Amino acid sequence: VRLVESGGGSAQSGGSLRLSCAASGDTYRRFCMGWFRQGPGEERENVAIIGRDGRIAYAESAKDRFTISQDNAKNTLYLQMNSLKPEDTSMYYCAAGEAYLSGGLYCSRDRDRFRYWGQGTQVTVSS
């Protein structure tokens, strides 16, 4: 599985950015897709996940501002970020992993469930 992010950059507080992640490789290995972020000296935290079945989950910090989506035909994952805040400044990573089986196929926001990672794209929000 290979993941390549794009779309990071700089924005003013209240502005918007859209991240993209081009994915390749076995689809079952990337049933679950997600966006994570990590600031200097901080833990890598989940922002949002989406399963190939379309089920979505967000971190509280992302709800009502960020939208995760995917185009399975284009093998591309997106993160639309609106109403950006300075605290959103971070390196953003695209990640992929297999679903786990528990009476059905599920995705988790736990980063340990994601085996494949992109190189990251920097997002900087100024006040």
Side-chain angles (χ1 to χ4, degrees):
V1 174
R2 184 166 183 256
L3 305 171
V4 180
E5 301 100 333
S6 61
S10 299
Q12 295 281 336
S13 181
S16 299
L17 285 172
R18 187 195 197 201
L19 306 183
S20 299
C21 172
S24 60
D26 295 333
T27 54
Y28 81 91
R29 295 184 188 278
R30 46 186 176 92
F31 182 92
C32 303
M33 298 290 294
W35 289 100
F36 290 75
R37 66 186 184 186
Q38 186 173 19
E42 297 179 354
E43 296 278 324
R44 189 170 296 189
E45 63 176 7
N46 176 252
V47 175
I49 62 168
I50 185 168
R52 199 164 183 85
D53 56 4
R55 281 186 285 186
I56 290 172
Y58 291 99
E60 281 297 321
S61 59
K63 284 181 182 177
D64 301 324
R65 298 189 302 126
F66 295 0
T67 303
I68 189 170
S69 61
Q70 62 188 355
D71 185 331
N72 289 334
K74 294 182 178 180
N75 292 313
T76 303
L77 177 73
Y78 303 99
L79 184 69
Q80 177 66 45
M81 303 186 293
N82 298 328
S83 302
L84 283 165
K85 304 175 181 179
E87 51 262 44
D88 294 318
T89 296
S90 195
M91 185 71 80
Y92 284 71
Y93 296 90
C94 172
E98 299 175 27
Y100 67 92
L101 185 62
S102 180
L105 293 175
Y106 291 93
C107 297
S108 168
R109 291 180 52 229
D110 183 349
R111 66 175 182 265
D112 291 336
R113 292 280 185 176
F114 289 82
R115 187 174 182 182
Y116 305 98
W117 296 84
Q119 82 285 354
T121 186
Q122 178 68 37
V123 170
T124 302
V125 183
S126 57
S127 56

